[in-house]
């Protein structure tokens, strides 16, 4: 299998250590079988997330020294504003400390109780921010996007018929905005086509609905469009990105992904009136509008990262790097979501360990096994994260997809690290019938996967 070639070399290293199997056993028990509660220093390869875990470039680090820490009007804000205008075409920006703060400000302004927000698939914080306000988050991804084996170039696409049904059921007045997550994180890091973005925008224009992109991984999405959508094979990434954003009224971005920084986010939009409303809430919740919950230096690193992520040799490496791990697993017949997404490889747990029912959190059981086996941390995107209780019957409704995500931080791990991960998954697959289900000992009222405590079912 062809190893991906890194378009960078290493200037600084950070040691990692594999603690003994005995210690790992002690630690996972002390963490209540919840990998979020493990000390990161006790992890050898951390594939929990690609969020805030990127290695910044020397150019970004140099930018930190040029942070202007003035309370109001710092120069880095203007640099970021110009950058976002140049890349995305939006006139108004509001920096936030990360993506979910942007979601909170946007939704608190736009949503009322019992409103409905359709998307392809809402990410967990997006869904939680909507539900916390008493509104409904409706997932309308195409059926292909819910079938891990089916190959389709744009499994993140939104099904317009499903959107139309939601529109007919609830009516215009109940739908303050429609969103698209690019790439579709909870559905396997799958891209959305330009055609689909255009169609959703057209639907929203016709029905006078606001249309926003949840654009954490916008550059990876653009690269897939270039690779897979005929009309764009020769188009420059920068142009593809500009066109993607041109169809939407605005976006929110967790800059911890494709902006290649460790902290940051923003809302960007076209409409001045909405901007003014959001700005007031930003001041209340995050900070003055020219820093919005970040230091001047963070804004500078973000502005620089937003350009770096558009470099085609970087994106080509990035997508190949993730696919390298995916292909090692496919070659060993491990069931993964295909085609391989942009930022992660997703194991289809229902197929990998069919003997553990969703009520016993098989995805979580697999994350526990990965830590035990090799000191690897992955994350469950399945019944622990997304199961909901039917308020009438009190019965649990489990998500269609039960996944474990092996998320690849940007510019951090080598191909050898990925080979080590593949070996660990393959070793577990050979003894998969020994894996044990889990039960909850403690769960908070929402976003339970972060702090839940579990116990193994003997
Ligand atoms: N939207 C998407 C599509 C995301 O993937 C995330 C975060 C957010 C919004 C929220 O942004 O973390 O900066 O507050 N995803 C991370 C992940 C946490 O691991 O996939 P945030």
């Amino acid at each position: 299998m062809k190893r991906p070639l890194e378009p960078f070399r290493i200037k600084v290293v950070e040691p990692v250590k594999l603690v003994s199997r005995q210690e790992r056993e002690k630690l996972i028990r002390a963490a209540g079988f919840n990998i979020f509660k493990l000390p990161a220093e006790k992890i050898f390869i951390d594939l929990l997330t690609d969020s805030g875990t990127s290695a910044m470039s020397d150019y970004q680090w140099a930018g930190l020294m040029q942070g202007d820490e003035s309370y109001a009007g710092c120069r880095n804000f203007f640099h970021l504003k110009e950058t976002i205008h140049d890349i995305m075409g939006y006139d108004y920006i509001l920096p936030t400390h990360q993506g979910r703060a942007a979601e909170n400000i946007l939704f608190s302004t736009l949503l009322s109780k019992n409103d409905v927000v359709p998307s392809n698939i809402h990410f967990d914080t997006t869904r939680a921010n909507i539900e916390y306000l008493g509104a409904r988050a409706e997932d309308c991804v195409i059926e292909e996007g819910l079938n891990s084996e089916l190959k389709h170039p744009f499994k993140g696409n939104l099904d317009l018929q499903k959107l139309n049904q939601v529109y007919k059921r609830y009516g215009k007045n109940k739908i303050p905005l429609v969103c698209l997550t690019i790439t579709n994180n909870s559905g396997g890091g799958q891209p959305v086509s330009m055609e689909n973005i255009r169609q959703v925008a057209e639907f929203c224009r016709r029905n006078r609905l606001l249309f926003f992109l949840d654009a954490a991984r916008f550059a990876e999405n653009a690269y897939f469009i270039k690779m897979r959508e005929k009309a764009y094979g020769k188009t420059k990434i920068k142009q593809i990105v500009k066109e993607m954003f041109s169809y939407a009224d605005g976006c929110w971005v967790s800059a911890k992904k494709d902006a290649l920084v460790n902290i940051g986010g923003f809302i960007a939009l076209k409409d001045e009136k909405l901007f003014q409303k959001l700005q007031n809430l930003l001041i209340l919740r995050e900070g003055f509008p020219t820093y919005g919950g970040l230091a001047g230096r963070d804004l500078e690193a973000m502005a620089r990262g937003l350009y770096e992520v558009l470099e085609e040799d970087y994106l080509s490496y990035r997508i190949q790097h993730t696919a390298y791990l995916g292909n090692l697993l496919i070659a060993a017949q491990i069931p993964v979501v295909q085609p391989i997404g942009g930022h992660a490889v997703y194991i289809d747990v229902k197929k990998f360990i069919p003997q553990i029912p969703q009520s016993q959190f098989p995805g979580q059981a697999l994350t526990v096994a990965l830590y035990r086996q090799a000191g690897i941390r992955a994350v469950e995107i399945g019944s622990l994260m997304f199961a909901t209780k039917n308020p009438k019957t009190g019965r649990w409704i489990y998500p269609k997809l039960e996944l474990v995500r092996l998320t690849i931080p940007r510019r951090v791990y080598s191909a050898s690290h990925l080979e080590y991960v593949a070996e660990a998954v393959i070793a577990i697959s050979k003894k998969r019938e020994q894996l044990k289900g889990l039960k909850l000992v403690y769960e908070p009222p929402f976003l339970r996967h972060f702090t839940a405590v579990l116990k193994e079912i003997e």
Side-chain angles (χ1 to χ4, degrees), residues 63-64 66-86 90-97 265-269 275 279 282-283 286-304 306-307:
L64 295 185
Q66 303 200 333
D68 168 358
E69 305 308 339
S70 308
Y71 188 93
C74 73
R75 68 166 169 259
N76 315 104
F77 170 78
F78 296 108
H79 185 200
L80 179 66
K81 188 174 165 181
E82 276 162 30
T83 303
I84 292 173
H85 184 261
D86 180 37
Y90 297 126
D91 288 329
Y92 300 101
I93 72 154
L94 301 118
T96 60
H97 80 274
F266 59 89
I267 301 170
L269 72 166
F275 164 74
Q279 185 168 249
L282 185 82
I283 296 171
E286 290 282 284
F288 190 73
T290 60
Y291 71 85
L294 292 166
R297 57 177 171 270
D298 298 325
L299 301 174
E300 187 58 32
M302 214 190 322
R304 294 180 182 211
L306 283 168
Y307 278 122

Side-chain angles (χ1 to χ4, degrees), residues 14 108 131 196 279:
E14 182 184 2
S108 304
E131 290 174 349
N196 194 247
Q279 185 168 249

Side-chain angles (χ1 to χ4, degrees), residues 48-51 97-101 103 121-126 181-186 214-217 252-257 264-265 343 346 379 381 405 407 450:
L48 179 69
T49 180
D50 63 325
S51 183
H97 80 274
Q98 63 181 87
R100 68 200 68 182
E103 289 167 354
I121 303 185
H122 292 274
F123 184 63
D124 64 351
T125 59
T126 322
T181 315
I182 56 170
T183 55
N184 188 25
N185 186 9
S186 306
D214 176 359
R217 300 175 181 87
W252 74 90
V253 172
S254 165
K256 299 171 75 173
K257 284 82 169 173
H343 65 296
Y346 293 69
V379 69
I381 300 195
R405 187 182 72 174
T407 337
F450 289 120

